[in-house]
Amino acid sequence: MDRTCVKNNRNKTKSGENGEKRDGTFHLQNPHLERMDEDVLYHLGLNTTSHNFVEMFGDVKFVCMGGTANRMETFAYYLLDVLGLKLPTGTTLIDISRNSHRYSMYKVGPVLSISHGMGVPSIGILLHEIMKLLKYAKVKDPVLFRIGTCGGIGVEGGTIVISEDAVDGLGSSYFQVPVLGKIVRRPAVFDKELIEELKDCVDPKDSYKTVTGITLCADDFYEGQGRLDGAFCDYTEAEKMEYLHKLKDQGVVNFEMEALVFAALTHHAGIRAADVCVACLDRLKGDQVNTPKDVLYEWQKRPQKLVASYIKKQLEKCMLSGTNL
Ligand SMILES: O=P(O)(O)O[C@H]1O[C@H](CO)[C@@H](O)[C@H]1O
Ligand SMILES: O=c1cc[nH]c(=O)[nH]1
């Protein structure tokens, strides 16, 4: 486990140290964008010629992402309720990205709720396009959340896990991607202040725990997470358990499949971000996700409740102080 990197990044974490400018706007480090007459955000089904990004998205302050379209639509309706917003009678929210047939995107006041699919490449593509969308819309200081599910490691099913750091399957806290035939390494860093702010929003009356720790971002659900129940498996149960216990001793509390690129690309742009997942199971107790569907569905709402309560708190703070977010 590349703990040195984890430690170094932890100390350096300060939003804005990379791409963020003092006035809250953030900088995408790509000189080519300025020279383009039009930008087609292909996977979002939007482009800068046909769509007025400032009008459509200029008031966005929070972007929430999760794997499935169903979850993100449910979250959008939940937000309407939490924020006390009402749709005109007889109307529904529309999927802004429906023409892309890739991701689904809903807008509720200053919040975008978007599905990202499974794994690093899928959320990576979305992050490129969402960060450009925010840039073209002239959004200042956006905050990004992933509201997901995960496999706990020594963490009971139903527990919320907020990622403090992200590592890959080899223990490195860098997102590594081949670019022009060479590996580019970007540190995966979550905003520590945001984690504390989220912890402050935990409802003490919750019947479940909320914990923090290191997240292992795997490139696979089965062998990549040490499961015995994939189509292939070349290791024994004893080897699997030794691996899981070693991870636990190193402070790894959960497996999921997006944290590394999520932390790295947002940090690279100077955008604050947090990964909040509910554990579907404790991997020290098994591999199969066999909790009844209705229970899993209720658990899935737990990260949504925490993030919605954070958003509500931030909006109330601004109303009280008469400032813009
Ligand atoms: O439930 P979400 O948040 O989509 O994500 C988790 O679930 C998927 C695997 O089942 C992976 O994408 C993993 O990160
Ligand atoms: O075990 C799990 C559960 C959800 N998502 C994962 O990536 N792993």
Side-chain angles (χ1 to χ4, degrees):
M1 166 111 356
D2 189 354
R3 294 304 300 271
T4 337
C5 301
V6 171
K7 276 222 172 79
N8 287 345
N9 289 340
R10 189 173 277 155
N11 293 337
K12 277 193 278 173
T13 300
K14 186 118 187 76
S15 49
E17 72 182 4
N18 266 340
E20 193 185 2
K21 289 184 186 163
R22 286 252 159 76
D23 64 357
T25 55
F26 56 93
H27 179 56
L28 299 183
Q29 297 161 42
N30 180 1
H32 305 284
L33 291 180
E34 323 250 304
R35 297 196 282 270
M36 286 165 63
D37 293 333
E38 179 186 50
D39 193 353
V40 177
L41 304 186
Y42 169 58
H43 304 87
L44 291 178
L46 298 169
N47 71 73
T48 52
T49 307
S50 319
H51 301 94
N52 183 331
F53 282 46
V54 175
E55 244 176 46
M56 289 175 77
F57 305 109
D59 63 339
V60 169
K61 293 296 168 201
F62 307 97
V63 180
C64 302
M65 302 175 193
T68 70
N70 175 283
R71 186 188 310 153
M72 300 325 288
E73 184 180 14
T74 307
F75 181 61
Y77 279 100
Y78 174 59
L79 268 179
L80 277 176
D81 207 33
V82 171
L83 302 183
L85 301 171
K86 272 212 159 64
L87 292 178
T89 313
T91 66
T92 59
L93 290 171
I94 59 155
D95 174 359
I96 301 168
S97 290
R98 63 198 175 283
N99 293 331
S100 75
H101 304 287
R102 290 282 182 188
Y103 308 112
S104 287
M105 169 158 62
Y106 300 89
K107 183 172 181 301
V108 175
V111 189
L112 284 180
S113 180
I114 315 173
S115 64
H116 61 58
M118 279 195 279
V120 163
S122 185
I123 194 174
I125 294 166
L126 177 65
L127 283 167
H128 276 273
E129 295 189 9
I130 275 297
M131 290 195 283
K132 291 196 293 174
L133 178 153
L134 296 171
K135 185 78 198 160
Y136 298 142
K138 301 193 192 312
V139 168
K140 291 186 177 178
D141 284 328
V143 182
L144 269 56
F145 293 103
R146 195 179 100 68
I147 43 179
T149 64
C150 64
I153 304 176
V155 164
E156 218 181 302
T159 304
I160 294 185
V161 180
I162 306 175
S163 306
E164 280 180 347
D165 292 294
V167 294
D168 67 13
L170 297 175
S172 163
S173 62
Y174 285 84
F175 168 55
Q176 311 200 43
V177 62
V179 176
L180 303 186
K182 293 188 189 125
I183 288 286
V184 169
R185 300 171 92 221
R186 297 204 171 121
V189 181
F190 284 116
D191 189 282
K192 300 298 178 266
E193 212 175 72
L194 182 58
I195 296 172
E196 292 308 311
E197 288 169 8
L198 277 170
K199 279 160 64 181
D200 287 344
C201 294
V202 171
D203 183 347
K205 294 196 290 296
D206 285 341
S207 57
Y208 46 89
K209 286 194 193 136
T210 298
V211 302
T212 59
I214 301 172
T215 292
L216 193 151
C217 173
D219 282 335
D220 171 46
F221 184 81
Y222 291 100
E223 292 170 283
Q225 297 184 22
R227 281 188 155 84
L228 300 174
D229 58 350
F232 310 101
C233 184
D234 302 329
Y235 41 84
T236 64
E237 176 157 21
E239 285 168 336
K240 163 195 140 177
M241 291 311 293
E242 188 190 338
Y243 171 65
L244 293 182
H245 281 290
K246 192 169 134 209
L247 289 179
K248 184 171 179 283
D249 292 346
Q250 288 169 335
V252 178
V253 286
N254 65 339
F255 284 113
E256 50 82 277
M257 298 176 60
E258 292 83 17
L260 202 67
V261 68
F262 183 53
L265 295 194
T266 49
H267 180 67
H268 198 54
I271 292 176
R272 306 209 301 154
D275 193 356
V276 186
C277 292
V278 71
C280 297
L281 75 169
D282 179 356
R283 288 296 316 290
L284 297 184
K285 296 184 180 152
D287 294 341
Q288 295 254 304
V289 182
N290 51 16
T291 305
K293 273 277 169 210
D294 57 330
V295 176
L296 280 178
Y297 198 70
E298 195 278 318
W299 287 358
Q300 251 193 65
K301 291 190 178 158
R302 295 177 177 181
Q304 301 179 29
K305 181 183 163 208
L306 181 60
V307 169
S309 130
Y310 171 87
I311 290 174
K312 186 171 182 220
K313 191 168 164 186
Q314 296 305 311
L315 294 174
E316 282 172 352
K317 256 198 220 163
C318 293
M319 288 243 285
L320 281 175
S321 63
T323 53
N324 283 328
L325 262 180

